Amino acid sequence: MSEEKISCIGCGVTIQTEDPEKLGYAPESALEKEDIICQRCFRLKNYNEIQDVSLTDDDFLKILHGIGESKGLIVKIVDIFDFSGSWLQGIQRFVGGNPILLVGNKSDILPKSVKHQKLINWMKREAKELGLMPIDVCLVSSARGHGIREAAELIEKYRNGQDVYVVGCTNVGKSTFINRMIKEVADVQDVITTSYYPGTTLDLIEIPLDNGASLYDTPGIINHHQMAHFVDKRDLKLLSPKKELKPKVFQLNEKQTLYLGGLARFDYVKGGRESFVCYIPNEITIHRTKMENAQALYEKHIGELLTPPRKENVDTFPKLIPHEFTISEGKTDIVFSGLGWVTVNNPGKTIIAYAPQGVNVTLRKSLI
């Protein structure tokens, strides 16, 4: 192979033809094509198969640190459905003094009753609490193309002719967002490899803009407390809902339990008979039982009645860890990072919420 460095148009990695086991492999015959894509991206695009990547979190962080030393607009993508799970901790450290446009993706899966302006105000509040003051906030659905043109206009407005860096966690729909943007602005079909799988983009992918500036897709940072890391690859699509969430309402007495598949557990300890609203992906089944029977039910039915996880993954699935809350204000969401949330309508309730060890469970003022 000649010394000239060729990059995969799917993930940005340098193409090599020597070792099929190593990153960036493509057969010699692939080099004759106009658009060269590595075997990993080829398999992902055509067969939806993922191959593990040998890059570490440190490699990803090095790439992000490089952004802080450049001048440009940072476009930070978060998943509205999993706001805290898809938040990049300490993003201020990497971005230097560059302005940040905050883009909330997957706006189409929240119930239509949620007003866009309310969502934007909520995102501004959340960002501020997490120490970020974005220059602006917008909502998109990368999957459906909603809001993409508006996002493109905001990017054009704020970049001042400079480069644009798109950053985000794995699984927030970042590459899909860029593919949509390119289609919207330049009418080119899927340039970047997109998938359900964490960590598809391997290096900076450069997409030329006018005037010599570029738009860069950066590798997704892996947030290890995301629920997606604990499920079988075949079940990832359950946690990336494609349809509007249908609220499920449960009337519970004290000492009753809800299992959200086998991924989480919600114990209603005290507060009188009460109704709770669950917002989780429609395909995940919710089971009700008595608190006194809950542990035995879990041990007996995890991986079968209570799924995901799958039967064959039960042995490696992390233990569910309890988080106790006393709800002091009205309408509060108990959020299971990456799975959804349960809305508690009234104060004075005691709840124990269980999630896999390492997955965040948090409270927030009700979104809906």
Side-chain angles (χ1 to χ4, degrees):
M1 188 175 152
S2 70
E3 287 307 298
E4 186 198 358
K5 180 177 151 180
I6 303 170
S7 297
C8 167
I9 65 154
C11 66
V13 73
T14 301
I15 294 283
Q16 55 90 9
T17 54
E18 284 80 43
D19 187 347
E21 299 301 311
K22 289 215 169 98
L23 219 51
Y25 175 76
E28 292 272 0
S29 58
L31 303 184
E32 289 150 27
K33 301 202 169 90
E34 194 181 337
D35 292 333
I36 296 173
I37 132 174
C38 74
Q39 193 174 44
R40 179 174 177 273
C41 286
F42 179 82
R43 299 203 69 79
L44 194 55
K45 216 175 169 79
N46 294 297
Y47 305 111
N48 235 350
E49 276 181 24
I50 190 75
Q51 292 170 311
D52 286 330
V53 182
S54 56
L55 285 181
T56 64
D57 289 9
D58 290 345
D59 295 326
F60 287 148
L61 289 172
K62 269 194 206 90
I63 292 169
L64 282 183
H65 277 299
I67 296 173
E69 289 155 19
S70 322
K71 274 267 170 262
L73 172 68
I74 312 291
V75 177
K76 176 175 164 57
I77 313 261
V78 290
D79 178 350
I80 304 177
F81 176 63
D82 183 19
F83 194 92
S84 62
S86 65
W87 190 261
L88 283 182
Q89 293 303 334
I91 180 153
Q92 280 62 29
R93 289 202 309 278
F94 330 121
V95 300
N98 291 320
I100 298 180
L101 170 66
L102 185 61
V103 177
N105 189 23
K106 307 189 187 175
S107 60
D108 55 312
I109 65 168
L110 292 186
K112 294 204 173 38
S113 56
V114 188
K115 298 282 174 280
H116 264 203
Q117 196 48 52
K118 183 180 176 187
L119 258 182
I120 284 176
N121 294 341
W122 169 76
M123 280 176 62
K124 283 179 179 163
R125 274 202 313 276
E126 291 283 310
K128 191 175 173 187
E129 276 184 27
L130 291 160
L132 186 70
M133 296 295 276
I135 192 166
D136 212 333
V137 175
C138 67
L139 294 174
V140 301
S141 160
S142 298
R144 294 175 193 270
H146 303 165
I148 297 292
R149 183 161 286 272
E150 293 84 341
E153 285 164 6
L154 288 177
I155 288 172
E156 200 42 55
K157 173 179 167 185
Y158 292 120
R159 78 183 180 93
N160 292 329
Q162 294 177 320
D163 291 336
V164 179
Y165 296 90
V166 184
V167 302
C169 272
T170 54
N171 277 20
V172 295
K174 191 163 55 64
S175 295
T176 310
F177 170 76
I178 294 180
N179 280 329
R180 280 279 184 185
M181 285 268 298
I182 294 166
K183 213 154 121 189
E184 189 68 57
V185 182
D187 200 33
V188 181
Q189 295 294 327
D190 298 340
V191 178
I192 295 168
T193 306
T194 60
S195 74
Y196 292 119
Y197 303 114
T200 309
T201 305
L202 300 182
D203 208 334
L204 286 184
I205 297 178
E206 183 177 350
I207 296 141
L209 300 168
D210 54 3
N211 75 2
S214 294
L215 182 140
Y216 292 97
D217 183 22
T218 63
I221 295 288
I222 293 175
N223 257 359
H224 292 283
H225 61 262
Q226 277 176 301
M227 189 71 86
H229 296 294
F230 301 113
V231 302
D232 189 281
K233 287 173 178 170
R234 291 165 292 181
D235 293 328
L236 275 175
K237 54 181 180 294
L238 297 181
L239 295 184
S240 305
K242 292 279 174 275
K243 294 196 177 79
E244 184 186 335
L245 295 180
K246 295 277 175 276
K248 296 174 183 147
V249 182
F250 288 85
Q251 294 284 341
L252 296 185
N253 297 318
E254 291 181 352
K255 303 277 195 293
Q256 282 194 308
T257 291
L258 298 176
Y259 273 111
L260 313 179
L263 297 173
R265 168 178 164 179
F266 178 91
D267 285 0
Y268 179 35
V269 182
K270 74 168 202 257
R273 189 167 166 77
E274 182 63 75
S275 72
F276 298 92
V277 191
C278 300
Y279 294 91
I280 68 166
N282 306 333
E283 294 79 6
I284 290 180
T285 312
I286 301 176
H287 289 277
R288 181 194 336 222
T289 186
K290 291 182 173 163
M291 260 172 73
E292 64 197 61
N293 304 333
Q295 190 55 35
L297 177 88
Y298 189 76
E299 285 164 13
K300 187 173 178 191
H301 293 294
I302 176 78
E304 289 168 350
L305 178 72
L306 305 176
T307 172
R310 292 176 180 236
K311 187 75 177 157
E312 60 267 34
N313 301 332
V314 165
D315 294 344
T316 54
F317 191 70
K319 190 168 176 246
L320 296 184
I321 302 298
H323 306 259
E324 188 164 340
F325 300 103
T326 300
I327 308 300
S328 55
E329 293 172 26
K331 286 196 79 119
T332 300
D333 293 337
I334 295 182
V335 183
F336 298 88
S337 183
L339 179 63
W341 63 92
V342 179
T343 301
V344 183
N345 289 311
N346 295 298
K349 313 292 172 195
T350 304
I351 309 290
I352 303 174
Y354 293 75
Q357 185 153 16
V359 171
N360 291 348
V361 181
T362 51
L363 291 186
R364 71 176 178 213
K365 207 167 138 186
S366 175
L367 191 54
I368 295 171

